Amino acid sequence: MNDQQRPDRDYREVNFDGLVGPTHNYAGLALGNVASMSHGGLVANPREAALQGLAKMKALMDADYLQGVLPPQQRPDLGALRALGFTGSDERVLARAAGDAPQILRAVCSASSMWTANAATVTPSPDAPDGRVHFTPANLQSSFHRFLEPATTGRVLAAIFRDEARFAHHPALPATPAFSDEGAANHTRLAGGHGDAGVHLFVYGREAFGWGSETLPAPKRFPARQTLEASQAVARQHGLAESQTVFAQQHPEAIDAGVFHNDVIAVGNGPVLLYHEMAFLDEAGTLEALRERMRTPLIPVRIPLEAVSLEDAVSSYLFNSQLLSNPDGSMTLVVPGECQENASVWRTVQDHLLAGANPIGEVVVKDVKQSMRNGGGPACLRLRVVLGAEERGALAGRVLLDDALHGELTAWVERHYRDRLAPEDLADPALARETLVALDELSGILEIGSVYPFQLG
Ligand code: SUG
């Protein structure tokens, strides 16, 4: 479709943040995610976590960015426990899981759907051959607790992006290691403006069918979650041509240092790619491939290793920031509070980012510590969906944040969430009951219909 056929030029990015669920806890479930591995067993505060997320959403809404919200999932996932052979009443299923397999119980209680950067990969309509917005829920097969997400994620996305004339939904890829897919966390769209033709940078950690070749570099310590084959399949589903895509291998040393997704070491927006020197195995080749395909000059903002070590990149989550476009052409970087607490990172923000020759004119600090302790920064908490005005008008449900919705969600959290959740509390049948009551009420607030297993019968 060309620009004349498409009258709608008012494309804007809507950030759909995941609302933190009532069972938010620290279970140490994610191998290769240093924060999750080191905080397992801590007492979590689900109420504070959800309110921190809502405060970030509100601050961005107040600054005139478009903000959406995606609901949490049904946890504990008693259906998953039953599938694993735990039988009897809900109480008995929980008690047996707590006794026999506490780590499985923790997994089925994880509120990990809050990290909506892993919910799906999205291709905006200006790039798709059929002029629709395309969605593929990520299969998240690399960990059991996250593999539980895509079924509900698919229903939620289909409920909100319901209009088939404008939105296309693809099935999650086969949930097997060859097609291991972690969604938008490994996908960056680069374009002049949001409504211009974009180039899609897919970053993968390993090649599934490349074994046998001695030369393929691979991480040694931690798993590579995304495969090249998965990224290629998503691009194929969305109808992206070779001229619109770049597939780049993530640096294995970065994965071994705790960079389990590309969005822990790079972030792009418009023509800007902010990245760490160690983000890509072939840095020069990746930039060259982007430049060849982009219709507007790429603006690389490179942070060298001597300015920020991999360890500091991982502990501060500098790159897990939201890079947002402003009407005057400048950009705002939303960083987690941990960046301010790290002297070399904070100096880099001042010297390389704010003082550098790039469009980043402002840095905003947000406290999302509850999520950060599980390895989820500001960028993990949101799914970016570029939409034209008509597409925004076609959204179903009440998912675009305004003051009224923010107020209702805040009151809902305050009514239903605990302020203390230790691993041993997860077996409490009252927690499961509280969660169902809360989620039923939430689907009413968001007007998204029945999306949860307990509502589907
Ligand atoms: O998949 N942590 C998530 C964090 C995801 C961050 N997302 C992005 N980088 N886009 C993960 O590793 C930890 C859960 C626990 O240990 O309780 C967890 O699943």
Side-chain angles (χ1 to χ4, degrees):
M1 195 182 276
N2 63 37
D3 287 346
Q4 270 172 339
Q5 286 170 290
R6 187 185 307 108
D8 181 358
R9 297 294 304 155
D10 178 25
Y11 280 86
R12 296 196 51 195
E13 178 177 275
V14 186
N15 280 282
F16 284 86
D17 278 43
L19 195 51
V20 180
T23 58
H24 160 63
N25 72 97
Y26 298 118
L29 297 171
L31 177 64
N33 169 345
V34 176
S36 154
M37 289 165 68
S38 60
H39 292 121
L42 280 190
V43 174
N45 185 335
R47 181 185 300 177
E48 185 179 56
L51 294 178
Q52 284 175 347
L54 279 165
K56 170 168 97 73
M57 296 184 224
K58 166 105 166 82
L60 296 187
M61 174 192 87
D62 286 344
D64 284 335
Y65 302 107
L66 292 181
Q67 183 65 56
V69 61
L70 294 177
Q73 301 212 349
Q74 183 182 331
R75 299 288 181 270
D77 188 335
L78 289 163
L81 289 181
R82 290 183 192 282
L84 295 173
F86 296 100
T87 52
S89 65
D90 289 356
E91 286 74 7
R92 178 144 169 78
V93 165
L94 286 168
R96 280 195 54 206
D100 299 354
Q103 207 49 20
I104 293 180
L105 177 61
R106 289 178 195 187
V108 305
C109 289
S110 178
S112 53
S113 68
M114 74 176 85
W115 301 298
T116 51
N118 305 119
T121 305
V122 184
T123 294
S125 55
D127 300 343
D130 64 358
R132 295 191 293 170
V133 186
H134 287 246
F135 298 84
T136 300
N139 61 30
L140 294 173
Q141 68 84 50
S142 66
S143 58
F144 171 58
H145 69 293
R146 304 220 61 183
F147 159 81
L148 301 175
E149 297 174 36
T152 297
T153 299
R155 281 195 295 274
V156 167
L157 293 176
I160 295 170
F161 302 95
R162 195 176 296 171
D163 181 349
E164 287 176 14
R166 293 189 168 85
F167 306 121
H169 297 275
H170 301 276
L173 300 180
T176 188
F179 295 103
S180 180
D181 179 22
E182 301 267 323
N186 293 317
H187 168 247
T188 308
R189 176 177 185 258
L190 295 154
H194 289 314
D196 297 331
V199 170
H200 296 253
L201 172 61
F202 289 88
V203 180
Y204 61 93
R206 65 185 164 94
E207 275 183 54
F209 299 123
W211 44 263
S213 155
E214 304 285 302
T215 52
L216 283 181
K220 296 183 174 63
R221 193 169 164 223
F222 292 141
R225 296 198 193 179
Q226 182 87 25
T227 65
L228 170 62
E229 290 81 353
S231 299
Q232 289 169 330
V234 171
R236 227 173 1 248
Q237 285 183 331
H238 294 200
L240 295 173
E242 212 184 311
S243 58
Q244 297 173 287
T245 53
V246 172
F247 298 94
Q249 185 174 349
Q250 202 177 359
H251 206 299
E253 283 177 43
I255 295 178
D256 279 339
V259 180
F260 55 97
H261 289 138
N262 175 62
D263 72 2
V264 176
I265 196 135
V267 57
N269 181 54
V272 175
L273 181 62
L274 167 60
Y275 70 99
H276 188 277
E277 169 183 353
M278 294 293 287
F280 312 111
L281 184 61
D282 179 5
E283 178 189 354
T286 304
L287 297 191
E288 196 188 305
L290 288 171
R291 286 196 173 104
E292 266 171 30
R293 289 162 177 78
M294 285 171 66
R295 300 192 192 164
T296 185
L298 173 72
I299 306 176
V301 183
R302 176 185 198 260
I303 305 297
L305 195 55
E306 69 216 32
V308 175
S309 67
L310 278 176
E311 196 188 348
D312 282 348
V314 169
S315 64
S316 71
Y317 261 37
L318 169 62
F319 299 91
N320 199 257
S321 299
Q322 290 180 250
L323 191 51
L324 301 166
S325 299
N326 300 319
D328 66 359
S330 72
M331 292 189 192
T332 295
L333 191 72
V334 182
V335 303
E338 284 72 3
C339 289
Q340 217 167 8
E341 293 158 18
N342 181 313
S344 64
V345 168
W346 198 238
R347 202 174 326 112
T348 300
V349 166
Q350 311 305 320
D351 298 351
H352 274 79
L353 300 184
L354 289 172
N358 66 65
I360 304 170
E362 182 190 28
V363 170
V364 171
V365 180
K366 284 282 143 232
D367 176 8
V368 288
K369 230 181 202 62
Q370 284 285 331
S371 166
M372 281 288 286
R373 288 198 195 111
N374 257 338
C380 299
L381 286 162
R382 59 90 173 98
L383 179 67
R384 307 162 90 171
V385 188
V386 168
L387 296 170
E390 290 170 10
E391 291 159 352
R392 296 195 296 276
L395 293 178
R398 187 175 165 230
V399 290
L400 290 183
L401 201 70
D402 55 20
D403 280 322
L405 181 57
H406 174 263
E408 281 177 54
L409 291 174
T410 303
W412 172 81
V413 168
E414 283 166 349
R415 246 190 336 272
H416 294 287
Y417 280 49
R418 298 187 181 189
D419 61 5
R420 202 195 127 83
L421 206 54
E424 58 275 15
D425 299 327
L426 299 174
D428 179 0
L431 178 68
R433 286 195 294 271
E434 287 161 28
T435 302
L436 293 192
V437 172
L439 293 184
D440 209 25
E441 205 178 293
L442 179 68
S443 38
I445 296 173
L446 298 179
E447 298 170 13
I448 49 170
S450 298
V451 293
Y452 294 116
F454 77 92
Q455 297 170 323
L456 298 169

